[in-house]
Amino acid sequence: MIEANPAPETAASPAAPPSTTLVLSARSLRRAYGSTLALDGVDLDIRTGESVAIMGPSGSGKSTLLHTLAGIERPDSGSVLFTPAHGAPREITALGESERSGLRRGSFGFVFQSGLLIPELTAVENVAMALLINGTPRAAALPRATEWLRALGLGGMEERRIGQLSGGQTQRVAIARAQVTGAQVTFADEPTGALDSGTGAEVLAILMDSTTGRGNTLVMVTHDAEVAARCDRTIRLRDGRILAEQTAAAASGSPRTETPGTAQ
Ligand code: ADP
């Protein structure tokens, strides 16, 4: 059974600096769809507590990279090593579907542009679902889900169905669902893409507080340079290769540094 993750006491917590421990390490990832190379030799190390934005034009391989790091898709070749907080490192790319599915339910959280919540269920049931499928009894899952919704500013909306919530509220439910199991790594694909800029900024702040703010890791696909600017690092893809990588400046606010990637 996966332990429930206590909700944060407050929405805002100071971001801890990323550690030097690698949580995900990808090597020589290749994935072809017919003649299209979606990933063409990607190497990427992600540290515990780090926020990483993946940018690039449409079709550059962003979603394929995110899905491959998360064990949703398997590459044709190459490896992804995941180091859990407790236990030995695991090569995700060598695991079978049921083991990868177990990792996705327990160690990873997912927030997509459209939320991908179950419309027939209430907000609290959607969040609790992440615990129920891991074997947490309903009597424990519902109070934990309620705590998370309240911590993310949705107190009083627990019994609403997804269609009765605004876009920003829906994304908060999706974040609560992604975090309630204690996900070590959260993968987000355009989490603010369907929101107006003000609501998007609020949702992004909540996403960061509830992931890197708690020492966990966030890997996020975005088209939005302002969203990427909030991350510790930005990876730029083109034609399935890492073209360049930008690291956020130190707290001093000095300009970002740009490091060319390995792509030719
Ligand atoms: P991005 O997220 O940057 O838009 P994707 O990772 O979705 O890029 O896709 C990279 C390339 O792989 C694109 O050319 C896309 O058309 C192709 N591709 C992705 N998924 C599939 C699929 N299931 N079948 C065929 N081609 C695909």
Side-chain angles (χ1 to χ4, degrees), residues 31-34 36-39 56-65 73 189 221 223 237:
R31 176 75 197 252
Y33 293 104
T36 304
L37 270 180
L39 296 178
S58 182
S60 59
K62 303 182 295 296
S63 297
T64 305
L65 178 57
E73 292 181 36
D189 198 345
V221 165
H223 278 107
L237 288 182

